[in-house]
Amino acid sequence: AMDMLNMVASFVYPVTMSLIPFAAAALAQGDKRGASRTVNSAFRILALLALPAGVGLSVLARPILELLYPAKGAATLEAAAYHLEILGVGSIFVCLMALSNGILQAYGREKVPLWTLLAGGGLKIALNYLMISNPDYGIRGLPVSTLCCYALITVLNLGAIARYVPERPDYFRVFSRPGLAALGMGAAAWWLHRLLADLLPGGLATLLAVALAAAIYAGAALLLGAVGREEAMALPSGERLVRWLRLK
């Protein structure tokens, strides 16, 4: 389950974090408006990538683990699936934490991520002590403490960005449309897998459900206006994507 948590971050980091040097360069030239545009683009791209990945991992936790670790027993897969259902949501906060850390450093607030990290770490230690040592929770408290740790760090970082970044991002606008598309995708993925599991072998059903869910998310994101020209241009082969989708 922890491998899956880190996998999402490893895919999202290169796209979003590559924009941070552009924000720092704009600030060095005194172009605060340009830096703010870059920060907003980074947030929008992260939302487009991290939200569906986290929701998909959470909704299809057991099928994905069965596909990747077929030799594991049912009891092990069931235990790991519980963790991944929670850590899938946690992966969204991991990505947001990394991006917000980079933004704060670009704006010369490099000490803020240190303090928020200490706050998140302190919360995790406290929750580990309270939950894992409790026989009613045991190891099942671990993903909960991990999720709360990254969520707290992210919330504190976003609050600091709202305070220190001029023309700060409109978080509701950034996350609402991709969030709605991701929730719709998650519901479709859950339903599709249940339908396909009765018709196809387990691994094939999972792969097909993931592929169809990705297509549904892409369509929903376009219909809701979650993807604009600026976000598409920041992606690999962005110019070709803009022409193909006819984005303005």
Side-chain angles (χ1 to χ4, degrees):
M2 289 299 297
D3 289 342
M4 297 298 101
L5 170 72
N6 295 324
M7 183 185 70
V8 172
S10 69
F11 280 111
V12 176
Y13 282 174
V15 178
T16 56
M17 295 303 291
S18 63
L19 297 177
I20 301 304
F22 292 100
L27 287 172
Q29 296 171 1
D31 184 7
K32 294 183 178 180
R33 182 168 297 180
S36 294
R37 285 198 300 268
T38 302
V39 168
N40 277 273
S41 295
F43 269 115
R44 289 195 293 267
I45 293 170
L46 183 140
L48 286 169
L49 298 176
L51 288 175
V55 170
L57 280 180
S58 183
V59 171
L60 297 179
R62 176 67 182 265
I64 289 173
L65 289 170
E66 287 179 341
L67 175 66
L68 297 176
Y69 303 101
K72 300 296 183 181
T76 300
L77 288 171
E78 186 66 28
Y82 162 80
H83 286 69
L84 187 55
E85 288 173 1
I86 299 174
L87 293 176
V89 178
S91 67
I92 299 172
F93 291 107
V94 172
C95 296
L96 280 169
M97 177 195 69
L99 176 60
S100 56
N101 282 347
I103 291 171
L104 288 168
Q105 291 170 11
Y107 276 83
R109 303 290 178 174
E110 63 280 352
K111 292 183 179 180
V112 174
L114 173 62
W115 292 113
T116 58
L117 177 62
L118 289 174
L123 178 62
K124 179 171 174 60
I125 292 172
L127 290 177
N128 280 348
Y129 177 79
L130 293 173
M131 299 186 71
I132 297 178
S133 62
N134 188 329
D136 293 335
Y137 298 101
I139 194 63
R140 293 169 69 88
L142 179 61
V144 176
S145 67
T146 301
L147 171 61
C148 292
C149 168
Y150 288 123
L152 176 61
I153 295 173
T154 299
V155 169
L156 294 175
N157 281 357
L158 293 181
I161 289 173
R163 179 180 178 183
Y164 296 121
V165 175
E167 299 182 17
R168 60 183 180 273
D170 184 342
Y171 294 134
F172 178 79
R173 185 175 180 181
V174 167
F175 294 108
S176 58
R177 293 178 182 179
L180 286 174
L183 290 175
M185 178 216 69
W190 179 84
W191 180 81
L192 285 168
H193 183 265
R194 287 176 63 89
L195 176 66
L196 295 171
D198 295 331
L199 304 174
L200 301 171
L204 183 58
T206 301
L207 288 173
L208 187 55
V210 169
L212 290 174
I216 289 171
Y217 174 75
L222 288 172
L223 287 174
L224 292 171
V227 182
R229 179 184 178 87
E230 192 172 354
E231 292 78 37
M233 287 296 293
L235 296 172
S237 303
E239 293 184 3
R240 185 181 304 173
L241 187 62
V242 167
R243 290 196 301 269
W244 183 62
L245 297 176
R246 298 180 180 179
L247 298 173
K248 296 181 179 180

